[in-house]
Amino acid sequence: MSEPTFRDYLYPPDHPRLAAIRGLDARGYAEAAKTDAFAGPMIHGWAALYPKPFTGVTNDGVLRPGLYPLRPAAAGEEAPAAAMASAARELLAGLTPAQAGRLRYAVDAQEWQSWANPEFMQHDTGLRLDELAPAARELILAVVEASLSRAGYDLVRNLMRINGFLGGLVALPDLMNEYSYNFALYGAPSETEPWGWQLFGHHVALNVLVVGTQLVVSPVFLGAEPDVIDAGPHRGVKVFKERIALARQLMATLPGPLGRKATVFEDMQDPAMPAGRLHAGDERHLAGCFQDNRVIPYEGIPVSAMPAAARGILDRLVDDFIALLPDGPRSARRREIAAHWDETWFCWIGGREAQDAFYFRLQSPVVVMELDHHTGVFLSNETPAPFHMHTVMRTPNGNDYGRALVRQAQGS
């Protein structure tokens, strides 16, 4: 049986889900969403979590020290610090003084933690791309491009284009478009001192910190509804196909008893799930927006128990997650993750057939990686479907936003 396509789940144009918010832009919907039956509970729940002092995600509530020493990157693992700083300086030079002032925050500002992935704008941090002139938008995108790999930048841009495609499909272009994202700078662009940037909006959130030759890209939230563009100038765009195929291949490679042990719930909306395990917006994933201090216990199976074939697939799956990093930092991140394989756990929720929706999490002292298929938000599917997914990547034990490195650089 073939996978369902997103076009099977398009709402009629006059459906209340769409008609009630038609004509609203991000600012208009930011207010209306507070009383929206879908968005309202999420907003109120997340409001209770922000702002709280940053600690970091842990598996047991206790921060593990010494995982992220501040030191020059190893040869071949250096960040593109000069190119990043140059692009950021050009951006600041191309903005008005008022825009530059609104864009900038201290390198350890709490606003780092204000990012979110829904279409409604809960926090108006920095500048909004769709409110800027094209030249200013291009300067912002040049900072993003200088900080990521070519594959990473292309993925981010394609997700932004999918957002615009979705806005067109459901006739909400002012709310969801290619540029409906906020961007902020933290600290002063430098080749030696810590600074960074943040881009966030519907299905795209990146937090990037560079200090000297070290680069941290975390937290990362990348998702899509739908996962393809099948019409218009960007027709043919597809996202996350390789990641999803590798995850299914990994589960297929696990021996039966091991696969069953890795599966913590058989159904994506399993009645056996404890209260609170399913979130209205996050559904099954645990490390999304406003979860900077969450305790996420290890679940499933240790990676050390996997057969060699499965470990090889897992290596490729990790590479797909970290492919957005430039070559040098990607090598450093791969090495950091591999150094903790003996403390890494893998878990799964859902089915294993080609058309099944699923969730998985890979977790260790230095990484959390999640992929979760979701129900519809602007499409009508009431059960999780493969054409709507959220992916999350974090650096637990205190180094999201590069905060462990910033604290060392500041001597705190």
Side-chain angles (χ1 to χ4, degrees):
M1 184 171 68
S2 62
E3 292 187 5
T5 72
F6 74 89
R7 288 195 177 271
D8 296 324
Y9 297 95
L10 289 174
Y11 282 111
D14 59 351
H15 191 279
R17 171 72 184 103
L18 305 179
I21 57 176
R22 186 151 290 129
L24 294 178
D25 62 10
R27 296 189 185 281
Y29 189 43
E31 188 60 34
K34 294 176 183 177
T35 56
D36 182 274
F38 175 75
M42 284 190 288
I43 292 172
H44 296 309
W46 285 332
L49 301 174
Y50 176 85
K52 288 190 175 181
F54 175 82
T55 300
V57 170
T58 63
N59 70 292
D60 60 3
V62 180
L63 279 177
R64 179 166 165 176
L67 291 171
Y68 309 107
L70 177 61
R71 60 192 178 199
E77 295 183 353
E78 299 91 347
M84 291 174 64
S86 176
R89 291 181 184 123
E90 288 185 23
L91 166 62
L92 291 171
L95 298 176
T96 67
Q99 288 173 329
R102 182 168 175 77
L103 182 72
R104 299 184 67 177
Y105 300 86
V107 72
D108 56 356
Q110 70 181 25
E111 282 82 3
W112 272 116
Q113 298 167 245
S114 70
W115 69 270
N117 56 277
E119 73 289 346
F120 53 81
M121 186 170 58
Q122 190 163 354
H123 295 282
D124 188 14
T125 304
L127 296 174
R128 184 87 176 170
L129 270 66
D130 61 6
E131 296 175 348
L132 297 174
R137 286 202 299 260
E138 290 305 312
L139 289 171
I140 286 173
L141 291 173
V143 178
V144 178
E145 185 174 17
S147 308
L148 304 178
S149 67
R150 169 49 57 184
Y153 181 71
D154 288 346
L155 174 58
V156 169
R157 292 295 286 119
N158 280 336
L159 295 175
M160 294 169 71
R161 293 176 182 122
I162 286 175
N163 191 54
F165 176 65
L166 176 62
L169 276 176
V170 298
L172 296 170
D174 294 329
L175 180 60
M176 293 183 294
N177 60 74
E178 185 178 345
Y179 300 108
S180 52
Y181 298 88
N182 284 54
F183 183 87
L185 278 180
Y186 294 87
S190 170
E191 287 82 0
T192 57
E193 299 301 313
W195 72 279
W197 59 263
Q198 175 183 69
L199 176 76
F200 72 90
H202 193 210
H203 282 144
V204 174
L206 295 167
N207 297 277
V208 177
L209 187 287
V210 62
V211 51
T213 52
Q214 286 190 260
L215 181 72
V216 177
V217 182
S218 180
V220 173
F221 183 107
L222 300 174
E225 182 192 28
D227 62 342
V228 300
I229 297 177
D230 64 357
H234 301 296
R235 181 177 181 176
V237 164
K238 300 178 182 180
V239 293
F240 301 122
K241 298 296 188 181
E242 177 71 9
R243 192 171 303 186
I244 289 167
L246 285 170
R248 286 176 172 153
Q249 187 180 352
L250 172 62
M251 282 299 286
T253 306
L254 294 178
L258 204 58
R260 289 190 291 274
K261 191 173 181 181
T263 304
V264 293
F265 295 103
E266 296 285 345
D267 193 283
M268 291 286 275
Q269 298 168 319
D270 204 310
M273 290 180 178
R277 183 61 184 85
L278 275 176
H279 182 272
D282 294 333
E283 299 199 18
R284 284 146 298 276
H285 72 75
L286 302 174
C289 60
F290 307 110
Q291 303 299 331
D292 294 308
N293 300 330
R294 186 158 191 167
V295 176
I296 305 175
Y298 295 138
E299 294 182 290
I301 59 172
V303 167
S304 59
M306 291 183 176
R311 285 283 296 271
I313 298 168
L314 187 61
D315 283 335
R316 293 167 61 195
L317 187 58
V318 168
D319 278 344
D320 191 77
F321 264 88
I322 66 174
L324 78 164
L325 276 71
D327 289 347
R330 183 165 68 252
S331 295
R333 189 67 166 133
R334 184 185 297 114
R335 179 174 50 78
E336 181 180 61
I337 293 168
H340 293 274
W341 275 136
D342 289 345
E343 302 176 87
T344 304
W345 289 73
F346 175 83
C347 68
W348 183 273
I349 297 174
R352 305 191 206 176
E353 301 302 322
Q355 71 273 18
D356 289 341
F358 62 82
Y359 161 91
F360 75 81
R361 182 172 78 254
L362 185 74
Q363 183 179 357
S364 83
V366 297
V367 74
V368 174
M369 295 177 173
E370 297 181 285
L371 185 148
D372 190 24
H373 286 128
H374 275 224
T375 55
V377 176
F378 292 98
L379 300 173
S380 66
N381 55 296
E382 295 181 352
T383 57
F387 50 75
H388 182 189
M389 75 289 294
H390 290 182
T391 76
V392 181
M393 182 167 63
R394 280 190 178 264
T395 308
N397 287 293
N399 208 30
D400 278 332
Y401 317 103
R403 193 63 58 85
L405 300 182
V406 170
R407 286 174 172 164
Q408 292 172 75
Q410 294 176 335
S412 59

